[in-house]
């Protein structure tokens, strides 16, 4: 159990190091797909951890906006939003709106749009 956790933290650290090494820029859709394919065994896991981090960051930003009286980007409002849903939300958004996204666009843009479409705020 402890070894699995250590391995996960190591992978997360690797993904964060990749992001920091890229000048703290957002990972593009192209870079994301390259990571999934080229990083032998762990590539898909690294990509999944990245998506979870993006999802959690977007959720925190939305919650912070709500707490400070601003309009949040999306509203979970008691509905289920689990970290494990990050990949399916991302892929569904890419598929649904394929004509909108170019390979050099950031992963965060896609996931943010997915969350806004899936968890709309009541006016």
């Amino acid at each position: 159990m402890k070894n699995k956790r250590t391995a996960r933290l190591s992978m997360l650290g690797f993904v964060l190091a990749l992001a920091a090494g890229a000048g703290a820029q957002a990972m593009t859709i192209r870079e994301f797909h390259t990571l999934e394919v080229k990083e032998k065994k762990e590539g898909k896991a690294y990509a999944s951890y990245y998506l979870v981090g993006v999802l959690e960051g977007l959720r925190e930003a939305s919650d912070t906006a709500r707490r400070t009286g601003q309009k949040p980007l999306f509203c979970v409002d008691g509905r289920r939003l689990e970290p494990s849903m990050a990949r399916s939300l991302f892929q569904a958004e890419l598929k649904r709106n394929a004509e909108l996204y170019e390979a050099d666009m950031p992963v965060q843009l896609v996931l943010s749009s997915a969350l806004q479409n899936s968890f709309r705020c009541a006016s």
Side-chain angles (χ1 to χ4, degrees):
M1 180 82 139
K2 188 174 182 179
N3 288 337
K4 270 188 172 179
R5 184 174 183 207
T6 303
R8 285 183 184 166
L9 290 174
S10 295
M11 282 188 236
L12 182 58
F14 174 77
V15 171
L16 292 174
L18 285 176
Q25 341 180 156
M27 185 182 295
T28 66
I29 297 167
R30 175 183 291 119
E31 291 166 335
F32 178 82
H33 289 305
T34 300
L35 176 64
E36 283 184 303
V37 174
K38 290 199 175 180
E39 286 297 323
K40 306 231 185 224
K41 297 180 203 172
E42 292 89 8
K44 194 161 185 155
Y46 294 156
S48 292
Y49 284 121
Y50 184 80
L51 284 176
V52 169
V54 170
L55 177 105
E56 290 178 352
L58 290 167
R59 185 163 190 177
E60 183 58 34
S62 188
D63 290 349
T64 298
R66 178 174 284 182
R67 284 191 300 270
T68 60
Q70 300 172 354
K71 183 179 180 191
L73 293 172
F74 59 94
C75 300
V76 177
D77 296 332
R79 293 178 279 174
R80 186 175 155 258
L81 177 58
E82 302 287 330
S84 61
M85 297 167 66
R87 180 174 290 279
S88 61
L89 284 165
F90 177 75
Q91 290 174 330
E93 178 64 19
L94 279 178
K95 188 175 183 179
R96 185 179 321 117
N97 295 306
E99 71 283 353
L100 297 177
Y101 299 109
E102 296 177 14
D104 291 327
M105 291 181 163
V107 168
Q108 287 85 337
L109 175 67
V110 178
L111 200 49
S112 177
S113 295
L115 290 166
Q116 289 174 50
N117 290 329
S118 297
F119 297 93
R120 294 186 187 273
C121 297
S123 297

